[in-house]
Amino acid sequence: MRLATWNVNSIRARVDRIVSFAEREHIDVLAMQEIKCKPEQFPYARFEEAGYHVEAHGLDQWNGVAIASREPLEDVQYSFPGMPGFKKGHTGDDAPLEARAISALVDGVRVWSLYVPNGRGLDDPHFAYKLRFFEALRGYTASTLAGDPDLPLALVGDFNVAPFDSDNGDPSIVEGVSTHVSPAERAAFHALEEAGLQDVVRPLIPTGYTYWDYKQLRFPRDEGLRIDFVLGSRAFADAVAGASIAREERKGDGPSDHVPVVVDVDLSPEDDDVPMIFG
DNA sequence: ATGACGGCTATCAGCCGA
């Protein structure tokens, strides 16, 4: 299985680019974030013409997540158990959920397409929401893997945290001032690793960014952030055979500000069309 | 060249993003 995650920054604004990429790169499963539309506005036909099934979760023009897959998407779930909500004027429990998580079972893999809240500012209520979101993700992961330690589980998407100093090449993002690089956010991200997930791309691609701001020539200067990840359980991680960051997708006309992160996973030996040769 | 932000809508202004 070839799995990719991509914060597309509006599916309607660049559906041609996105479907072309998926076809050209032979992507089997494409997890998208920031589709910025409701399901009824999603350009399903373009994906179906290319041989993909799509499940989309969107409530308005903000956020929105989707998964496209060549194989059928089973047991689709919107939002993960314990996921917090957010709305100005609301506190904690009574806030409505946003469209930041969608999941499906594909070829036996439990895939989550996730768009972690931005945080907006270190003192903003959105920042506390971001930390609550991470803590709920950690809890979901821990309880899921406790019940099924061998589950191939993949949490993929825009985590909005640059976990290491080397993941931040944007001079406007400064520790102590900015979101994405604070100790609290980094600890919240690393807690997912303690819960049984690992970044399956990092060992294969130690450096490189996945996002560059549209402003200030950030891409030509290569002043980006590494904030898009594929986190996998042991069973998933053990099956990862390759990875790439599709930097070319930041070029040309009308790019997203994020690029796809791709992993090759070899989980289904029964799908091999070449017989095993023993001896 | 990878070139100075770009989506969205309650649209021509303001919000959001990282």
Side-chain angles (χ1 to χ4, degrees), chain A residues 243-254:
Chain A
S244 56
I245 297 173
R247 209 173 169 283
E248 296 293 308
E249 285 304 314
R250 187 63 177 76
K251 303 179 182 179
D253 294 328

Side-chain angles (χ1 to χ4, degrees), chain A residues 204 237 239-243 264-266:
Chain A
L204 298 168
V240 171
D264 287 293
V265 200
D266 189 9

Side-chain angles (χ1 to χ4, degrees), chain A residues 15-190:
Chain A
V15 62
D16 288 343
R17 257 192 103 121
I18 294 159
V19 173
S20 297
F21 170 81
E23 288 191 291
R24 188 171 65 252
E25 293 296 323
H26 307 288
I27 303 298
D28 298 304
V29 179
L30 177 62
M32 291 167 272
Q33 301 86 38
E34 281 208 90
I35 62 172
K36 289 187 168 177
C37 69
K38 302 174 191 176
E40 60 266 33
Q41 299 172 306
F42 193 98
Y44 291 106
R46 309 296 302 280
F47 281 84
E48 287 164 2
E49 290 160 10
Y52 291 96
H53 307 264
V54 177
E55 294 289 342
H57 178 34
L59 299 170
D60 50 35
Q61 73 269 41
W62 304 116
N63 316 306
V65 284
I67 305 177
S69 172
R70 292 207 179 276
E71 297 297 319
L73 295 153
E74 301 167 57
D75 192 24
V76 176
Q77 297 175 27
Y78 296 161
S79 306
F80 55 88
M83 190 180 113
F86 183 80
K87 193 178 182 70
K88 273 184 183 171
H90 292 248
T91 55
D93 296 343
D94 65 327
L97 297 178
E98 299 184 306
R100 294 182 176 275
I102 189 172
S103 172
L105 206 52
V106 194
D107 272 345
V109 181
R110 169 57 65 185
V111 178
W112 281 95
S113 177
L114 300 169
Y115 179 42
V116 174
N118 170 291
R120 295 182 184 167
L122 297 177
D123 298 323
D124 196 291
H126 211 256
F127 189 79
Y129 170 43
K130 181 176 192 174
L131 297 181
R132 284 199 300 276
F133 193 97
F134 267 115
E135 171 54 20
L137 258 190
R138 188 206 59 73
Y140 164 78
T141 299
S143 64
T144 299
L145 292 178
D148 189 357
D150 296 324
L151 175 70
L153 172 66
L155 269 55
V156 313
D158 177 358
F159 287 79
N160 267 324
V161 171
F164 302 99
D165 288 344
S166 59
D167 298 331
N168 176 20
D170 185 328
S172 74
I173 305 293
V174 179
E175 209 274 295
V177 178
S178 313
T179 61
H180 295 67
V181 293
S182 71
E185 289 163 278
R186 286 174 168 172
F189 178 86
H190 289 300

Side-chain angles (χ1 to χ4, degrees), chain A residues 223-234:
Chain A
E223 296 174 338
L225 298 171
R226 186 175 178 124
I227 53 178
D228 299 272
F229 300 102
V230 176
L231 306 184
S233 64
R234 182 191 43 73

